[in-house]
Amino acid sequence: MNTIILFISHKVALLEAVCSRILYINSGNFTLSSYNCGYSKFRNVYMAEVSHAERACKEYERQVSTSKKSLKSIQNQLHRRERNLKKITTKNADQRFVKGKSKEAKQKSDRSAASKLKKLQLQSSQMEKIQQKTTREQVKALHINGVEVKGTLITFKDVSFTYENGQQNIFTGLDAKLEGNDRILLCGPNGRGKSTFLKLMLGELEATEGTIIREVSSLYFPQTSLSDLVIFHGDKSAVRYLGNDLTESKARKHLGDFGLKGNAALRPIVSLSAGQRVRLWLKKKNLELPKKS
């Protein structure tokens, strides 16, 4: 029986180790491209393609601009010489010619410039394909501003914890402090207490022994957040999910600040991508954060 294994990851090392072919969806120009290589090579190849396409587009635009200016200049000269020709009234004067090139020569030069411009314009359809390479969706970076905090936020003093009917402690004699300017990565093997430690921090669990002092409320993004968002609010729009106390215009402004613009604010949550749902969840929690006084 054939089987497909599907997983989602932003970890470059994992992608490089597992993937042998890349399908790249560019939502900026609605294209799907295939690259028969690993992730690192794909990034290098793709960025080289984008750079080449950008240079080609700039050169094309330069040629079109130069050609248009050349054609306009020749046409202006021809019009001036035609006006001068009409003013020549001297008897026996050969009115086919004026000072400099003949009118016929000017017209020939005019046709040459026009032909060159036409050739460049015929290349526009090809340039449109090249320009697709340079079109990339720009997603606004997230900047979440809450109340600035200083000092110690959470203190663990000689904390031990055991689940009911547990045979051994998950933690024993744990002493730790979390400061306001800390940015902490919590890592370790599966089943070694990472989730338990977070629950102790959040107050969802209490220490079996010892003391935990919490000086601030915490915002936690659990693994089930996105699935819960779809299960309980999937039929709502992002605007409606933010709450009835906001007007539609204010809700869309808030969502736009988090990169959810256009129809993404009005579509059912179930139709949003995982990344868009993360931004929506964070915006909702951001509105619930205490504001600076």
Side-chain angles (χ1 to χ4, degrees):
M1 179 179 179
N2 294 327
T3 303
I4 292 178
I5 299 176
L6 175 65
F7 65 91
I8 299 173
S9 175
H10 291 174
K11 190 172 182 178
V12 174
L14 177 61
L15 296 175
E16 182 62 25
V18 173
C19 300
S20 60
R21 183 184 175 202
I22 306 296
L23 293 178
Y24 176 69
I25 301 175
N26 190 333
S27 57
N29 57 43
F30 308 104
T31 59
L32 175 66
S33 302
S34 177
Y35 297 81
N36 294 317
C37 59
Y39 183 71
S40 295
K41 185 175 181 180
F42 154 71
R43 284 196 305 178
N44 295 334
V45 170
Y46 176 71
M47 293 310 299
E49 288 178 349
V50 170
S51 178
H52 174 75
E54 288 175 344
R55 291 195 300 270
C57 289
K58 288 180 180 179
E59 175 61 19
Y60 168 73
E61 291 170 357
R62 186 194 66 77
Q63 291 181 17
V64 171
S65 176
T66 300
S67 180
K68 286 182 177 179
K69 290 179 181 178
S70 176
L71 177 62
K72 186 66 175 178
S73 176
I74 291 173
Q75 288 176 334
N76 289 338
Q77 291 181 35
L78 178 61
H79 292 159
R80 284 197 302 269
R81 297 186 192 290
E82 286 178 341
R83 288 196 300 268
N84 291 337
L85 182 61
K86 292 179 181 178
K87 293 179 181 179
I88 296 176
T89 57
T90 305
K91 189 176 181 179
N92 298 326
D94 188 347
Q95 297 188 0
R96 292 176 301 166
F97 298 91
V98 294
K99 183 179 179 181
K101 293 183 178 180
S102 68
K103 177 181 178 181
E104 288 80 2
K106 288 296 178 182
Q107 289 174 334
K108 182 179 180 181
S109 180
D110 186 16
R111 288 194 297 270
S112 176
S115 176
K116 184 177 180 180
L117 178 61
K118 185 176 181 180
K119 289 180 180 179
L120 288 172
Q121 290 173 334
L122 290 175
Q123 296 175 9
S124 63
S125 59
Q126 182 179 0
M127 273 301 119
E128 288 178 1
K129 295 179 180 179
I130 295 177
Q131 284 175 330
Q132 286 184 348
K133 285 287 185 181
T134 68
T135 304
R136 288 172 287 177
E137 183 181 30
Q138 300 298 317
V139 181
K140 186 173 182 179
L142 288 180
H143 299 284
I144 304 175
N145 298 316
V147 177
E148 294 183 3
V149 291
K150 297 180 180 180
T152 303
L153 306 182
I154 303 176
T155 303
F156 291 79
K157 292 183 177 181
D158 196 26
V159 170
S160 297
F161 179 80
T162 304
Y163 284 102
E164 292 184 9
N165 302 322
Q167 296 181 352
Q168 61 181 11
N169 285 350
I170 304 297
F171 299 109
T172 302
L174 174 63
D175 291 301
K177 288 185 178 181
L178 280 71
E179 305 293 340
N181 60 352
D182 282 342
R183 301 293 183 270
I184 299 172
L185 167 65
L186 180 62
C187 61
N190 291 338
R192 291 298 183 266
K194 296 189 298 297
S195 296
T196 301
F197 183 73
L198 288 176
K199 291 178 180 179
L200 289 169
M201 285 175 50
L202 296 170
E204 295 181 8
L205 294 174
E206 294 297 338
T208 305
E209 297 179 3
T211 305
I212 302 175
I213 302 173
R214 306 177 185 89
E215 301 288 351
V216 67
S217 58
S218 301
L219 175 61
Y220 175 46
F221 184 76
Q223 297 177 357
T224 59
S225 293
L226 297 189
S227 59
D228 289 345
L229 187 60
V230 172
I231 292 171
F232 298 108
H233 306 282
D235 60 337
K236 297 179 182 177
S237 67
V239 168
R240 184 182 169 196
Y241 174 69
L242 289 189
N244 296 326
D245 54 336
L246 292 175
T247 64
E248 180 175 328
S249 60
K250 287 185 178 180
R252 297 191 70 163
K253 173 63 169 59
H254 284 304
L255 293 168
D257 291 340
F258 270 53
L260 291 173
K261 298 181 178 181
N263 70 343
L266 302 177
R267 284 161 42 195
I269 292 173
V270 69
S271 70
L272 299 179
S273 69
Q276 288 173 323
R277 292 173 198 164
V278 170
R279 289 172 176 259
L280 174 59
W281 190 94
L282 290 173
K283 180 71 255 187
K284 175 72 170 180
K285 298 303 178 182
N286 177 249
L287 291 175
E288 296 172 354
L289 291 173
K291 306 302 178 183
K292 294 181 180 180
S293 57

